[in-house]
Amino acid sequence: MIEEREHWSSSLGFVLAAAGSAIGLGAIWKFPYIAGQNGGGAFLLIYLVFVAIIGMPVMLCEITLGRRTQQNPVGAFRMLSPAKSHLANFIGFSMLFTAVALLCFHEYGWAIVMLIVGGLIIRYGWTSAGIISIVAGFVILSYYSVVGGWTLGYIIKSFQGELNYVTEAAAANCFNSFKDNMGWVIPLHIGFMLICSLIIAKGVKNGIEKWSKILMPMLFVLLVILILRGLTLPGAVKGVSFFLSPKFSDLSTEGILTAMGLAFFTLSLGMGAMVTYGSYISREQNVFMSTLSIILLDTVIATLAGLAIFPAVFAMGFKEAAGPGLVFNILPAVFNSIPGQFGWLWAGIFFILLSIAAITSGISLLEMLVAFLSDELKWKRNKAVWISFTAVTTLGLLSAVSVSSWGRIEWLHQALVKAFHIERGSFFDMMDNFSSNWLLPLSGLAVSIFVGWIWGSRKAVEEIRHGSHNFADVHLISLLAGLKDDASHNNARYHVLTLASLWGIFIRFVAPVAITIAFLHEVGWLKNS
Ligand code: PHE
């Protein structure tokens, strides 16, 4: 018997779950330090622009695809794809030709990749975009869960009073030996996956929604506590101004493009996570307002995270504290230096917060795999959950053992170098680079082109309109002025300027062009001096 598809019990449930997916290590760990390095408030401003002109339209696409089809990403693309697409065929055959050319240059590894992807595209057309997003989610979850495991480990360490470092160097030392200590890292990685799996096994309503409703408010309260502690320290203002004052001179082209990549990652776009969550929404819900709420929550929390971190960092005199190591290398020392007996508590609170953020994001990635397996192979939820758990945990082990060097998996290293002639970082870095810089933008590009041009913005708007009349039927100026038209007249056809028409332009032109530029830059084909 096929199980009936579950739905969120309310809009709030959906918004909290989706915000949980968005708010993760990206918002709390990456965002503050990247903003710090790229002109503080100036970066924040650019980031907000990208969130508005690309993040928001693409998220609306993904959620709409999910709600329309009530399917996992692969099923969603399949259901709406035309029988034949010249564009897909063109891309597929170009890849096959490239593969042949690569073979002539004895680049066998890349040739095989091109053959497989080109073949997929020719065989499955636009459905292969769904397949790519599933692969992206799978790969991301495998190493995301390793970092999730670290955050769990740091909770234990803070409550054991072990994070009592006075200097940055001492904290960094501890982190370096921690992440290479397999006795910690492997059980923690498995533990993180286990927590996500146990929640998901309970289902959409009783698992994901219920836990999001508990964990998200908790995250917010913990964040506020940390902000209050940080801001009341003498000297905290310097941190606030470091984070918020716009220094446009520090903002490079590099920084601008980074802002776009970050917006994609922190909003959980390009991985089918939002398509999956969207597939559990019923047609009466207002998808436009939900999207807006998710975006606002994610942005507010990312900004608040900066306000929880920088005032404390500056007040405690850790000026040079910007960089990727911020969270694990420096913050333990910062929290420990806060006067009073409670250094361990501040650190503990921070790492609980970070773990919550990571778990609610991990859940969404895992749920996407589970939805795929249960929709496509008709597996029962439990079977899908535990098989996904095993597959992701196993791939993750390779990342876990290779964070700082290939030493433990040298055989794999040799094989990869031989096949692809590239030597870049560890397996962990490779997975991150492959998914964040390649799969994610490509699948984001596919989503926007598919919705804008193939399925068509007109049909998408018809779908969004269910439950969100203002989106397509009210002139934007009237809407902003609070002079709403009477929706019952259904005079949408006569309005030129509506939220829907703006959205259509962004999704057909602005997003594809911007994503392509950022992609070419990320992979190094578009160098700026
Ligand atoms: N948005 C999450 C973060 O900021 C990462 C993520 C991406 C989660 C995609 C789910 C899907 O950490």
Side-chain angles (χ1 to χ4, degrees):
M1 190 188 81
I2 300 172
E3 294 170 41
E4 206 183 304
R5 197 172 200 77
E6 270 195 274
H7 285 103
W8 308 106
S9 66
S10 62
S11 291
L12 180 71
F14 163 61
V15 169
L16 285 181
S21 167
I23 298 162
L25 298 171
I28 299 183
W29 159 60
K30 276 192 183 177
F31 180 79
Y33 85 76
I34 295 185
Q37 288 171 329
N38 287 288
F43 181 86
L44 184 60
L45 223 64
I46 297 290
Y47 172 84
L48 289 180
V49 170
F50 281 129
V51 165
I53 67 170
I54 301 176
M56 166 99 194
V58 174
M59 186 182 286
L60 192 52
C61 279
E62 293 204 4
I63 294 178
T64 306
L65 276 179
R67 188 180 75 168
R68 169 73 182 79
T69 57
Q70 302 279 303
Q71 291 273 335
N72 71 92
V74 172
F77 275 97
R78 180 176 341 98
M79 193 165 154
L80 303 173
S81 289
K84 208 182 189 149
S85 161
H86 294 303
L87 180 57
N89 279 337
F90 173 74
I91 298 173
F93 279 109
S94 312
M95 292 183 99
L96 290 192
F97 284 124
T98 318
V100 174
L102 285 169
L103 279 178
C104 300
F105 288 101
H106 304 290
E107 287 281 356
Y108 300 113
W110 290 112
I112 292 174
V113 172
M114 283 283 179
L115 266 177
I116 295 177
V117 180
L120 266 182
I121 296 178
I122 293 170
R123 169 77 181 75
Y124 294 107
W126 283 93
T127 308
S128 40
I131 301 176
I132 293 179
S133 69
I134 298 275
V135 174
F138 177 65
V139 171
I140 290 190
L141 183 56
S142 74
Y143 71 82
Y144 201 85
S145 128
V146 174
V147 183
W150 297 345
T151 62
L152 293 178
Y154 264 58
I155 300 180
I156 303 174
K157 276 178 170 285
S158 9
F159 286 103
Q160 285 178 338
E162 272 184 37
L163 297 186
N164 50 355
Y165 308 109
V166 187
T167 62
E168 185 186 324
N173 256 339
C174 157
F175 178 58
N176 284 335
S177 55
F178 169 79
K179 69 182 188 320
D180 279 331
N181 183 343
M182 293 303 119
W184 272 96
V185 170
I186 293 179
L188 287 168
H189 158 61
I190 298 175
F192 181 87
M193 282 303 300
L194 206 58
I195 297 177
C196 294
S197 306
L198 286 172
I199 294 179
I200 291 212
K202 290 265 178 227
V204 174
K205 237 186 262 175
N206 295 326
I208 306 177
E209 182 172 347
K210 184 171 137 203
W211 279 97
S212 302
K213 281 180 171 164
I214 300 172
L215 293 175
M216 295 313 286
M218 222 165 114
L219 177 135
F220 189 73
V221 172
L222 293 179
L223 195 54
V224 171
I225 296 177
L226 280 184
I227 293 176
L228 291 179
R229 174 66 277 202
L231 285 180
T232 48
L233 290 168
V237 189
K238 270 188 280 169
V240 179
S241 73
F242 169 75
F243 180 51
L244 289 183
S245 61
K247 295 177 283 289
F248 282 96
S249 52
D250 289 353
L251 187 67
S252 55
T253 327
E254 198 85 23
I256 295 177
L257 292 169
T258 309
M260 191 163 91
L262 191 63
F264 245 77
F265 187 83
T266 64
L267 293 174
S268 302
L269 299 175
M271 271 164 271
M274 290 296 166
V275 179
T276 309
Y277 274 12
S279 75
Y280 302 126
I281 314 181
S282 63
R283 281 197 101 196
E284 287 64 45
Q285 286 184 21
N286 185 330
V287 279
F288 176 70
M289 285 313 280
S290 300
T291 307
L292 200 61
S293 317
I294 298 164
I295 301 248
L296 280 179
L297 279 173
D298 186 59
T299 314
V300 167
I301 298 281
T303 315
L304 289 182
L307 286 179
I309 292 173
F310 287 109
V313 168
F314 274 72
M316 293 299 116
F318 289 82
K319 273 203 200 48
E320 310 303 325
L326 184 62
V327 164
F328 294 100
N329 284 349
I330 294 167
L331 283 190
V334 171
F335 289 126
N336 182 56
S337 331
I338 291 181
Q341 293 305 305
F342 295 112
W344 57 273
L345 181 61
W346 306 125
I349 291 182
F350 179 79
F351 286 108
I352 293 179
L353 177 118
L354 203 58
S355 300
I356 292 180
I359 288 171
T360 50
S361 300
I363 287 177
S364 70
L365 287 167
L366 188 62
E367 176 60 26
M368 180 187 63
L369 292 177
V370 169
F372 167 70
L373 294 174
S374 33
D375 288 351
E376 299 297 315
L377 306 179
K378 308 283 176 256
W379 286 0
K380 287 244 182 315
R381 174 169 274 274
N382 257 325
K383 179 173 170 193
V385 170
W386 295 111
I387 289 191
S388 309
F389 165 83
T390 314
V392 176
T393 310
T394 310
L395 180 64
L397 283 179
L398 293 176
S399 291
V401 300
S402 74
V403 170
S404 18
S405 88
W406 284 92
R408 294 188 186 85
I409 42 172
E410 195 47 42
W411 52 274
L412 184 61
H413 186 208
Q414 293 307 333
L416 289 171
V417 171
K418 210 166 188 172
F420 299 106
H421 301 291
I422 45 161
E423 195 145 6
R424 201 194 270 125
S426 60
F427 185 76
F428 180 94
D429 298 330
M430 234 173 80
M431 291 291 104
D432 185 16
N433 175 45
F434 171 61
S435 48
S436 313
N437 297 344
W438 289 80
L439 294 180
L440 207 139
L442 286 179
S443 120
L445 187 62
V447 167
S448 56
I449 294 181
F450 181 78
V451 172
W453 298 91
I454 309 290
W455 180 35
S457 41
R458 198 170 48 81
K459 289 196 190 128
V461 166
E462 283 306 315
E463 174 63 30
I464 300 171
R465 252 167 113 199
H466 276 275
S468 9
H469 261 298
N470 290 346
F471 186 72
D473 299 343
V474 182
H475 195 290
L476 191 59
I477 302 291
S478 322
L479 190 64
L480 291 175
L483 309 168
K484 263 203 316 200
D485 295 24
D486 183 354
S488 60
H489 286 150
N490 194 8
N491 45 9
R493 308 275 177 259
Y494 310 112
H495 289 319
V496 176
L497 187 62
T498 56
L499 281 171
S501 59
L502 270 188
W503 172 80
I505 289 172
F506 278 115
I507 212 61
R508 284 160 73 99
F509 303 102
V510 181
V513 170
I515 297 172
T516 306
I517 295 176
F519 172 67
L520 294 179
H521 177 267
E522 281 285 337
V523 299
W525 293 344
L526 204 126
K527 284 258 180 303
N528 56 292
S529 46

